[in-house]
Amino acid sequence: MNNQDEPPHRLRFHVLGPVRADRDGQPLPLGSPQERATLAILLLRDGRSLTASELVDALWGADPPHRAMDTLRAYVTRLRAVLEPGRPFRGRAKVLVSTGGGYAVRVPPGSLDATVFEEHLAAAADARASGDAAGAYARLTTALALWEGTALAGLTGPYAERERERLTELRATAREDHYDCALALGRHAESVAGLRALAAEQPLREKPRALLMLALHRAGRQAEALAVFSETGRLLPDGPGPGLVRLRERILAGDPALAAPAVSGAAVTADGCGSPGASPALDLLPPEPVGFTGRETLTGEVRAALAEAEGDVVVLTGPAGTGKTALATHTARAARTAYPDGLLHVDLRGTDPEPVGTGAALAELLHALGVTDAALPDDVERRAALYRSLLADRRVLVVLDDAHDTAHVRPLLPGVPGCAALVTTRSPDLALPGARTVGVDAMEEKEALALLTAVGGGRAADSAVAGGDAARSVVAACERLPLALRIAGARLTTPPAWTPGDLAARLAEERQRLDTLHAGVGVGVGVDADVDAGDVVLEAACRVAHDALEPETARAFRLLALPDAGPLDAASAAAVLDLPDVARAEAVVGGLVRAGLLESASPGRYGRHALVRLFARRQSERSDSPPVRDAALLRLLDHQLATAVTALLRLIPDSPLPRHLLHHLATAGRPLADAGAARSWAHDAHPDVLATVRQVLAQDVPDALRPAVDLLTVWAALTAGTARRHDLESSVRQALDRARERGDDIAAARTLRLPVAPSPEELRSALRLAEEVHDPLTPLLAGFELGVVLLELDRADEALPLLVRAEEGLVREGAAGGAAEALAHAARAYIALGRPEESLAAADAAVERARSVGQGRTLALVLLQAGRAHLRADRTSAAADRLREALTVEPEGTDPRREALVWAWLARCRLAQLRHREAVAAADRALALEAGPGDDHVRGLALAARGRAQLALGEPRLALGALREAHEVLTRRGAAEAAEVGALLNEEFGAG
């Protein structure tokens, strides 16, 4: 689509799903389905024109409306106004242009997702032809990620139908090729679940079944591979084709040519789809400190211990400041060739007042291995199991830095052959079975002098060459501790630069003063009486470095240590320091890095050693008033809230939350260009946001309650449907307690609806409080949520008025997506109350509204509820259509929890259609997807459907096992379906 006059705004068009357009990331109102169809037809012409009569035929075929040409011109006029809002009256259009007797759309290359999709397919074909399976896999992954549902969803007309079929066929072929490449890369075990789904969705295509058989065979599951062949024989009228027959014979013969290729595994998501940005050899280690030197003997000892350790676990233990982290990082990189599949790292912050939890650490490791937030299991046990399964058949070294104790670190150990762990800890009592322990102490004098020279530059080198007395004095004063040497050495290069003699004298003086204090003679404010000698050395080095800083830099050193959050980026640092822009913050932070008091933990993020942070906090207690310290934390909280609001609007543009914050934002927060940037920031910021909320609530920072409640409210929306949502629970309870202490009813009302599974009583309390204080937001959201909870408890008569009221309120708020979801749930309530006509009308209206919103997640949720309503109204064909579409509106693997739930209900639908084999296949697909996140409700529904289908197929023993487990799971969950399954068990198998 070449265009000489490129439009002034960045337009993007999407037809691989609902037809939509956006400018600079903001959605455009494209009007009616026919207007969208007009735009889509012209876009798919790739810049070529269509005459007006050809466009009329494409839109309406043989049955155009009266005055079709006038209608078409009206569509074009309205579309031009949307696409080029700043175009002068009678000015020449540059996007939707007139061409003689017709029209064309002229946009720059890369503006239409369908064109980009086909370009990636062509590049993938070239890569495969040249033998580059990894390159083809990456291209196909990117291409398939562009899909948001059924192509041209909701559009009618002959042209739309033809293009939909063409694009759908291209997508089906691309998915087959994607899995073909995955198998060529040795990713057979992870591909099984996705191939099962593809085979179920395309029952008449043989290639998915051939790929599934091969994947199962390579995973050592020959019986299942042969069962796929047998099932194919029952499904296909003419039986399996010659290709499948030959594959079956080769599997039976144990053909060695079918073995998996010797290729290192790449990161995968829990549902078997590759992570688009994953690399076969991850390196997540922090950078080595500048000037790392020496430690050759110790490095060799650690590598030998790794080679010899019975359980492939080596523990580095020693006092603070001895360089355990630097040594672990250096050794891990030196051992890279022994671990070709990756180097992982987690900072457990075990010496902090609140170390990183084991569940959070597992989440970080799983994310590094390609598991999305939506696929993350809820509990630690499932996370640990998934972690070990993803490490199986790989060679990975995991660095677990700053472990608190044995219980803290044990679930994080790989525990599979070929993988190893390096653990650093200050705790001498940490004991792991089969682990080798290596003590890390102060450096040898020669090594210490070399480090001082590397950090301190010319003056330190000159001193060492000239006899080294001053340099040796500095090394002695620092007791040869690497951290103290780095801080002290930085003073030799940071203006005002000192001589080694000056530095040695000042360190000796400070050491003498602190030794006196810690001996109990006048213990000062902020000084612990039981600090060991290494802590005294580090404090002396920090004091000397701090006292030489310029006032602004010294203030930054103190205030940046106050947040409990991990390493800060420059934007967060600017907020804490109340600086006008990021550039100024980077300049100030750069001064602290050069002084050795901050380090770049990763590109663009800055952290410090725990003892340096402790010293900085003590200095802040001495130098900064409580209001100054509180204000710094409040600014960080405000910055995080503002950025979270931006993220929410990128992901849910019509969310009502930003319009009803309790706190007036003082900053704009961090800019986020699009939905992808919003998701990335929300993932990375998750632990820091929760740390800030916990800190301001625990310290009872004045004026922090309401912004903290706002942030929890927005964060609950950002993490909805993921396991990370559970991480908010303790902070929610903390906020509720503070709100009740303060008598802040509006904050309490908003907090009451935030638990992961609020009870009807909590939601009713939230509604009651909100109405008393005239909160406009909580009645909408809590009412909607209470309606859904009551509906699941089979109390449709109570649920319906709440859902109707919520839908009306959300419409008034302009929250079209939320209103569509409320209406879809209301449809289920209508059918439960015996009002089928109202139910089906509401369900269909909700789907049309959700299509117009153009959000894949919203449409998927609405289609699921509409499918359930149609199923209960005995319209099984329509129900199946809704449920199957719900599986296509977002890229596969986007939300495995919801996908599993849809498959479970699709199994119920197939049961109602008496298609029992398909019901079993759908239930199995739900169970395969559920196995990752671990959703008991989905598991219970799928097992119940499977058991019913097996009864109908004459397999009572299998049915009994499935139904018993379903009843147990659903009863434990408190689900209404438990009684139905229990009645079936009694009826078919008796009380026993």
Side-chain angles (χ1 to χ4, degrees):
M1 297 186 187
N2 297 322
N3 181 19
Q4 299 300 318
D5 298 314
E6 187 172 313
H9 296 291
R10 185 181 173 89
L11 288 166
R12 290 288 182 268
F13 299 93
H14 311 267
V15 297
L16 302 180
V19 175
R20 60 185 183 86
D22 56 70
R23 179 187 294 107
D24 296 328
Q26 297 302 313
L28 300 179
L30 295 181
S32 68
Q34 289 296 80
E35 289 173 69
R36 292 170 184 263
T38 303
L39 177 61
I41 291 166
L42 292 172
L43 283 166
L44 289 165
R45 292 282 296 172
D46 198 27
R48 302 186 305 277
S49 64
L50 270 177
T51 67
S53 60
E54 288 173 331
L55 197 48
V56 167
D57 287 342
L59 283 167
W60 292 292
D63 188 26
H66 181 59
R67 302 176 66 86
M69 288 294 185
D70 291 342
T71 302
L72 177 60
R73 281 192 286 272
Y75 291 167
V76 170
T77 299
R78 287 198 289 269
L79 285 168
R80 282 174 170 166
V82 171
L83 296 175
E84 298 180 69
R87 183 169 61 91
F89 180 65
R90 297 188 183 280
R92 184 168 65 92
K94 296 182 180 180
V95 179
L96 204 171
V97 301
S98 297
T99 57
Y103 303 99
V105 168
R106 304 278 169 77
V107 293
S111 300
L112 177 64
D113 59 356
T115 304
V116 177
F117 172 69
E118 294 191 54
E119 289 171 354
H120 282 302
L121 296 192
D126 290 343
R128 294 186 77 189
S130 64
D132 181 10
Y137 182 85
R139 284 284 194 169
L140 289 166
T141 299
T142 304
L144 292 167
L146 294 169
W147 283 75
E148 299 176 342
T150 302
L152 304 166
L155 300 191
T156 58
Y159 186 89
E161 288 297 329
R162 288 195 301 273
E163 280 298 301
R164 184 180 295 115
E165 290 177 9
R166 183 182 73 85
L167 291 167
T168 300
E169 175 63 25
L170 284 176
R171 184 192 189 193
T173 303
R175 291 176 70 189
E176 292 173 351
D177 291 345
H178 187 248
Y179 282 114
D180 207 353
C181 290
L183 298 188
L185 293 169
R187 305 173 67 161
H188 41 274
E190 326 62 296
S191 298
V192 168
L195 281 168
R196 281 196 191 279
L198 186 57
E201 293 168 26
Q202 306 284 347
L204 301 182
R205 293 175 76 106
E206 289 202 2
K207 185 169 181 179
R209 295 182 174 275
L211 292 170
L212 176 57
M213 288 174 65
L214 181 57
L216 288 166
H217 171 67
R218 287 181 175 175
R221 298 158 66 176
Q222 282 74 17
E224 292 178 69
L226 297 172
V228 172
F229 180 87
S230 301
E231 182 186 36
T232 305
R234 291 192 298 269
L235 287 173
L236 299 182
D238 299 326
L244 282 180
V245 171
R246 283 195 300 272
L247 179 58
R248 173 179 178 271
E249 291 170 352
R250 293 173 69 190
I251 289 173
L252 288 170
D255 186 347
L258 294 181
V263 178
S264 294
V268 295
T269 56
D271 70 324
C273 294
S275 174
S279 164
L282 295 164
D283 184 352
L284 302 183
L285 297 178
E288 283 187 21
V290 176
F292 182 89
T293 186
R295 299 296 203 184
E296 289 86 359
T297 301
L298 204 50
T299 300
E301 186 179 346
V302 176
R303 292 190 67 178
L306 275 174
E308 298 168 6
E310 181 182 332
D312 287 323
V313 178
V314 176
V315 178
L316 307 184
T317 182
T322 53
K324 296 182 294 297
T325 298
L327 177 63
T329 302
H330 176 74
T331 306
R333 286 213 169 89
R336 176 194 293 275
T337 55
Y339 303 98
D341 296 322
L343 306 173
L344 303 182
H345 174 271
V346 180
D347 182 2
L348 298 172
R349 300 176 65 176
T351 51
D352 281 11
E354 187 170 349
V356 173
T358 301
L362 282 166
E364 188 174 338
L365 289 165
L366 287 170
H367 178 70
L369 291 168
V371 177
T372 63
D373 284 353
L376 189 68
D378 287 341
D379 57 74
V380 171
E381 290 75 16
R382 284 182 183 269
R383 290 182 189 182
L386 179 58
Y387 168 58
R388 292 191 176 96
S389 72
L390 291 179
L391 290 180
D393 301 321
R394 300 191 193 188
R395 295 190 64 83
V396 171
L397 177 60
V398 185
V399 178
L400 303 170
D401 197 14
D402 194 14
H404 180 65
D405 56 26
T406 304
H408 190 202
V409 78
R410 189 192 294 271
L412 308 177
L413 301 176
V416 295
C419 294
L422 265 177
V423 182
T424 75
T425 182
R426 289 181 67 180
S427 171
D429 301 324
L430 190 145
L432 297 167
R436 287 285 302 276
T437 299
V438 176
V440 182
D441 212 330
M443 304 179 88
E444 297 293 332
E445 184 182 61
K446 181 180 177 180
E447 294 177 322
L449 284 168
L451 176 58
L452 183 65
T453 300
V455 176
R459 292 193 174 190
D462 291 344
S463 172
V465 170
D469 288 342
R472 285 189 172 85
S473 296
V474 172
V475 165
C478 292
E479 292 196 357
R480 294 175 281 113
L481 292 177
L483 178 59
L485 284 165
R486 289 184 177 282
I487 296 170
R491 285 283 2 112
L492 300 176
T493 59
T494 306
W498 298 341
T499 67
D502 292 337
L503 178 59
R506 295 189 186 223
L507 284 169
E509 180 183 345
E510 192 61 45
R511 274 291 310 275
Q512 185 178 9
R513 190 174 72 82
L514 288 172
D515 284 339
T516 301
L517 286 174
H518 288 299
V521 182
V523 175
V525 177
V527 177
D528 297 330
D530 57 350
V531 177
D532 65 31
D535 293 336
V536 174
V537 170
L538 291 170
E539 185 173 353
C542 288
R543 283 180 183 275
V544 169
H546 173 267
D547 292 346
L549 296 174
E550 293 293 327
E552 182 184 29
T553 312
R555 172 181 175 272
F557 172 68
R558 299 191 303 270
L559 295 186
L560 290 175
L562 296 178
D564 283 346
L568 299 176
D569 58 25
S572 299
V576 172
L577 301 177
D578 199 18
L579 294 176
D581 53 49
V582 170
R584 182 63 192 146
E586 286 177 335
V588 173
V589 167
L592 289 171
V593 172
R594 288 189 296 276
L597 295 170
L598 271 186
E599 55 192 27
S600 182
S602 59
R605 292 177 70 84
Y606 305 93
R608 69 186 87 209
H609 191 279
L611 285 177
V612 177
R613 182 170 64 176
L614 177 61
F615 168 76
R617 286 185 171 183
R618 288 172 175 162
Q619 289 297 108
S620 184
E621 290 171 9
R622 297 185 183 101
S623 305
D624 305 314
S625 66
V628 167
R629 298 199 300 274
D630 290 342
L633 293 176
L634 277 174
R635 287 192 296 270
L636 177 60
L637 182 65
D638 182 273
H639 169 76
Q640 291 174 334
L641 174 58
T643 310
V645 167
T646 299
L648 185 64
L649 290 175
R650 289 285 180 266
L651 296 169
I652 312 175
D654 61 357
S655 170
L657 295 181
R659 294 190 293 277
H660 295 290
L661 296 179
L662 301 175
H663 169 71
H664 179 71
L665 290 170
T667 62
R670 179 176 173 176
L672 300 170
D674 51 31
R679 291 190 189 93
S680 178
W681 175 82
H683 178 275
D684 293 342
H686 181 76
D688 296 333
V689 162
L690 295 184
T692 302
V693 169
R694 285 193 299 266
Q695 184 177 12
V696 297
L697 292 174
Q699 295 180 9
D700 201 10
V701 173
D703 301 320
L705 173 60
R706 289 196 168 191
V709 169
D710 281 339
L711 187 49
L712 287 172
T713 303
V714 173
W715 215 253
L718 288 173
T719 56
T722 74
R724 288 185 179 268
R725 180 73 176 75
H726 294 266
D727 298 341
L728 278 65
E729 292 286 284
S730 62
S731 297
V732 166
R733 289 193 299 271
Q734 197 180 11
L736 182 58
D737 291 342
R738 284 289 182 216
R740 285 170 170 164
E741 288 172 10
R742 297 288 183 85
D744 191 334
D745 287 345
I746 193 168
R750 295 198 176 188
T751 310
L752 277 167
R753 55 164 289 272
L754 294 182
V756 173
S759 66
E761 292 72 25
E762 287 173 315
L763 291 170
R764 290 190 192 281
S765 296
L767 282 170
R768 187 167 54 252
L769 276 175
E771 288 165 0
E772 290 174 1
V773 294
H774 308 292
D775 177 12
L777 179 67
T778 303
L780 282 180
L781 303 182
F784 178 15
E785 290 153 2
L786 178 58
V788 173
V789 170
L790 292 172
L791 193 58
E792 296 298 334
L793 293 173
D794 241 358
R795 292 156 64 178
D797 55 333
E798 299 174 64
L800 181 59
L802 290 165
L803 293 168
V804 170
R805 194 154 54 242
E807 185 259 336
E808 293 169 349
L810 289 165
V811 167
R812 287 194 300 272
E813 282 285 332
E821 291 182 36
L823 186 58
H825 284 288
R828 288 178 47 221
Y830 281 124
I831 193 66
L833 294 171
R835 298 157 65 176
E837 292 183 3
E838 292 168 278
S839 171
L840 297 178
D844 292 342
V847 170
E848 288 309 308
R849 282 196 205 173
R851 290 195 204 284
S852 68
V853 171
Q855 295 173 15
R857 177 182 178 276
T858 295
L859 180 56
L861 291 168
V862 168
L863 285 165
L864 169 59
Q865 303 309 324
R868 293 176 65 179
H870 278 277
L871 179 58
R872 187 153 181 177
D874 293 326
R875 294 187 51 172
T876 55
S877 179
D881 288 344
R882 298 290 189 273
L883 293 168
R884 292 186 68 82
E885 186 181 352
L887 293 169
T888 66
V889 295
E890 288 189 298
E892 185 183 354
T894 299
D895 189 345
R897 295 166 187 270
R898 190 187 61 245
E899 289 176 38
L901 185 59
V902 173
W903 279 107
W905 281 104
L906 191 56
R908 293 278 292 263
C909 190
R910 296 310 188 206
L911 274 175
Q913 295 173 313
L914 305 180
R915 295 161 66 174
H916 299 112
R917 284 293 175 198
E918 291 181 46
V920 171
D924 285 348
R925 177 61 176 146
L927 292 168
L929 285 165
E930 176 274 332
D935 189 314
D936 283 345
H937 187 219
V938 173
R939 181 169 182 77
L941 291 176
L943 285 167
R946 198 183 204 289
R948 286 177 176 276
Q950 287 166 329
L951 271 178
L953 291 167
E955 300 170 347
R957 292 179 62 188
L958 294 174
L960 176 59
L963 291 170
R964 276 180 172 168
E965 187 176 353
H967 186 254
E968 178 187 341
V969 169
L970 292 170
T971 300
R972 187 169 62 244
R973 170 91 180 195
E977 296 88 354
E980 180 185 330
V981 176
L984 179 62
L985 279 168
N986 279 328
E987 179 182 341
E988 295 291 335
F989 301 102

